Amino acid sequence: MAVDIDWKNLNFAYTKTPFRYVCDYKNGKWDEGKLTEDSTVKISECAGVLQYAQTAFEGLKVYTAEDGRTVAFRPDLNAERMACSAKRLEMPVFPEDKFLEAVDMLVKANCEYVPPYGSGASLYIRPVMFATSPVLGVKPAVEYQFRMFCTPVGPYFKNGIKPLTLRVTDFDRAAPHGTGHIKAGLNYAMSLHAIVDAHNLGYDENMYLDSTTRTFVEETGGANFIFVTGDGKIVTPLSESILPSITRRSICYVAENYLNLKVENRQVRLDELKNFAECGLCGTAAVISPVGRIDNHGEIINFPSGMQSMGKTTKKLYDALTGIQYGRLPAPKGWLREIKK
Ligand code: PLP
Ligand code: COI
């Protein structure tokens, strides 16, 4: 039976779908893993996740391609990044092949919730891992749960592709040698006050700076930056404390190999923002969202691309990336994992 969802008007929000995948780690090993209809989790009040935030998550999308195939975009990289997150947080690694099998099982079981081609929506997959056994002294737990659920979503930013206004924030989301490069829940807890404050002041997002010198651009709370120079070069900030975005890495590949653009991954100084022609945020949720204006403590940087539409080069990147994701352009080998219903 077809589900009754207004695909075109979906927000980036949770809609409960019938099945989720759950796998528990106990006595030093992961169990078989299975699908369940139970969307709730019952754990000890003293569970490691509740006391010391021992948890990491991922985010990836599944699309209906132009030819009707159901495809996941580079889920192998999410499996790999989740393994890095687990290691950094002293959690057991969830095997990468099991992760991919879970994606297949989950999507097949919830196949009616994969938005149709052309709707602009996608099925967002949220893998999450957390410490379930009790800990009181500060130490890693011994039991964990890996869970993967999915929910159909629309655009992350409400205004779709209208350029965003950011402010440079004095808050930090990650410390040098900390956890900024992994997808730990604690990084997002760190960013909540800053984002509420930004929204209250009328900004869409925060631009975080490096917390040592406050002179280099890092990222936002949920996306990496891409900049375009006046002569059409792509520049992306290099930092050890930002999340290695799969979207950003894909865009850089697409820029070089599909669009013949030069790409520089290097430190980006705050004081060079005014020289860029275009700016965008990139991520699974954000896809590529244009930024029109940045407020640096009263100094306003208005990108020449303006506040009405995406810059020319950003649009080319957007069209190429989404073209690959929706199967309109040939994908590099291994980028799309087809899920047979
Ligand atoms: N940076 C942060 C802090 C994020 O939460 C995300 C989202 O996952 C990204 C960047 C973009 O990463 P990806 O393109 O892998 O989704
Ligand atoms: C994603 O893009 O998948 C994320 O996890 C970012 C989050 C802000 C929704």
Side-chain angles (χ1 to χ4, degrees), residues 57-59 78 81 124 173 180 183 188 219-224 242-249 282-285:
F57 70 101
E58 271 301 326
N78 295 94
R81 192 169 62 190
Y124 184 73
R173 72 173 281 283
K183 220 162 157 57
Y188 299 81
E219 59 176 332
T220 68
N224 280 181
I242 66 173
L243 194 76
S245 159
I246 295 163
T247 315
R248 189 246 305 155
R249 287 180 271 159
C282 65
T284 299

Side-chain angles (χ1 to χ4, degrees), residues 193-216:
H193 178 62
I195 193 66
V196 169
D197 189 50
H199 285 165
N200 286 342
L201 294 169
Y203 302 100
D204 296 301
E205 257 294 354
N206 288 299
M207 168 181 269
Y208 289 99
L209 303 179
D210 79 284
S211 52
T212 312
T213 70
R214 314 204 70 73
T215 51
F216 295 106

